[in-house]
Amino acid sequence: MQAVILVGGEGTRLRPLTFGTPKPMVPLFGIPFLERTLGRLKEAGVNDVVLAAGYLPRAIEDHLGDGSRIGMRISYVVETTPLGTAGALRNLADHITDSFFVLNGDVLTSLDLRAMIAFHRRHGGVATLHAIRVDDPSAFGCILRDADDRISSFVEKPPRHEAPTNEANAGTYLLERSVLDRIPAGRNVSIERETFPELIASGAHLVSFVTDDYWLDIGRPQQYLQAHGDVLDRKLELASSGDPALSNRGRFWYVGAVGAPANFRLPVFIGEGVAIDSSAIVGPYAVIGDRCSVAAGAEIRDAILWDGVEIGAGAGISDAILASDVCVGSGARVTTGAVVGHRARIAADAQFEPDARIVADAETIATPT
Ligand code: GDD
Ligand code: MG
């Protein structure tokens, strides 16, 4: 079985993290998110993967290469202009020999891919779509099915009050190769807005595989934070790529853990080579990358620090994400939904509006108060 992972989006909702880092390379506890997804595929015996890339493809290719380091076969098809979620598949049709998985690149889930293969074979459709129940389907594709799970309608991001069901497209498909013939070549085509509705209208057999799995689209800052919180709360087990050098990197400390310093409020994750002053307060829900430093009296909770971040004395970090090599001056407050881009330097005692997006070269996007 082959798999295509759609990784060509620009990750606009995760800016400024995705200035310089494509969304699939955004880390989840120190390992690129994409590598976690590849680990799940490998666990299910799917070793042959095509990446449909477009935005910053070199960053992905430089890291994963041909996949041999993690025991997989990875090839790349790069779009010069975005072809959309179906156009991207049509564009790599030459690489596909049989039925294949398609994965949105930003989905964190405990879905059992082997169970999905069995379900697909049992139902014999041209496409099986993984679906999950959500409170507000307006941010997702909405999947209406009849009693034997056959899909009767697919509506992408309907207005909230018009959603026909709360069963949402979870962004994992198992497709027969023949579906590729139904996608026009050479232009941008959306699988959600064009291909699925057209297949259904033409009478094709599409099936919904509804499960109660853990599921989260990490493509927005609050969801990215939540993903880390959920792993720290042990709501799901993380897959790693199978590279032992990576899978053991960093330390998790959970409630009741032995050996956590007294100034830690658990749960906490700490990378390698981190220096934390004994008067700093770390956690709960602090995720600190490799080579970070935290000075005296600083406080960090509900926050993610990538690698090489420096936190000055007495600074306060909460409900925030800081990309690599950010430097926070003493006494500064980085809170309430702040997202800080690579190498940004935050002045001593700075404070920001809620949801500030802070970048390196411009002082800030939202003005300091
Ligand atoms: N190669 C390529 N080319 N990839 C693309 C393109 C493109 O033109 N456009 C988007 N992608 C990739 C993104 O990188 C991402 O991994 C995936 O396709 C989905 O795009 P998003 O931009 O994250 O879509 P969404 O989250 O708004 O909605 C999609 O996911 C939901 C579940 O998370 C849809 O599939 C919804 O129906 C679904 O409910
Ligand atoms: Mg998404």
Side-chain angles (χ1 to χ4, degrees), residues 253-259 266:
W253 272 289
Y254 298 108
V255 178
V258 179
L266 305 181

Side-chain angles (χ1 to χ4, degrees), residues 6-9 13 23 52 79 82-85 88 104-107 140-141 154 156-157 169 173 192 215 217:
L6 295 168
V7 292
R13 290 164 290 193
K23 185 161 66 170
E79 296 150 46
L83 290 171
T85 44
N104 282 353
D106 55 3
V107 166
F140 305 107
F154 186 107
E156 180 68 5
K157 302 192 178 112
N169 171 24
Y173 322 126
E192 298 89 350
W215 184 89
D217 178 333

Side-chain angles (χ1 to χ4, degrees), residues 9-41:
E10 290 184 23
T12 49
R13 290 164 290 193
L14 275 184
R15 286 178 183 164
L17 301 175
T18 46
F19 289 144
T21 301
K23 185 161 66 170
M25 296 304 290
V26 163
L28 190 65
F29 296 98
I31 296 180
F33 187 74
L34 176 60
E35 215 166 318
R36 303 275 185 196
T37 305
L38 289 166
R40 286 182 42 235
L41 286 166

Side-chain angles (χ1 to χ4, degrees), residues 235-251:
K235 290 185 182 162
L236 87 158
E237 285 290 316
L238 279 184
S240 76
S241 60
D243 181 337
L246 283 178
S247 47
N248 297 324
R249 196 159 84 185
R251 287 194 71 178

Side-chain angles (χ1 to χ4, degrees), residues 109 111 119 129-147 149 163-171 208-217 226:
T109 178
L111 169 68
F119 184 92
L129 280 58
H130 179 219
I132 38 101
R133 297 180 187 89
V134 296
D135 292 333
D136 175 13
S138 63
F140 305 107
C142 238
I143 298 179
L144 202 61
R145 63 180 163 123
D146 58 24
D149 297 321
T165 153
N166 68 342
E167 292 180 0
N169 171 24
S208 181
F209 181 49
V210 189
T211 75
D212 293 322
D213 278 290
Y214 178 90
W215 184 89
L216 190 69
D217 178 333
Q226 191 193 329

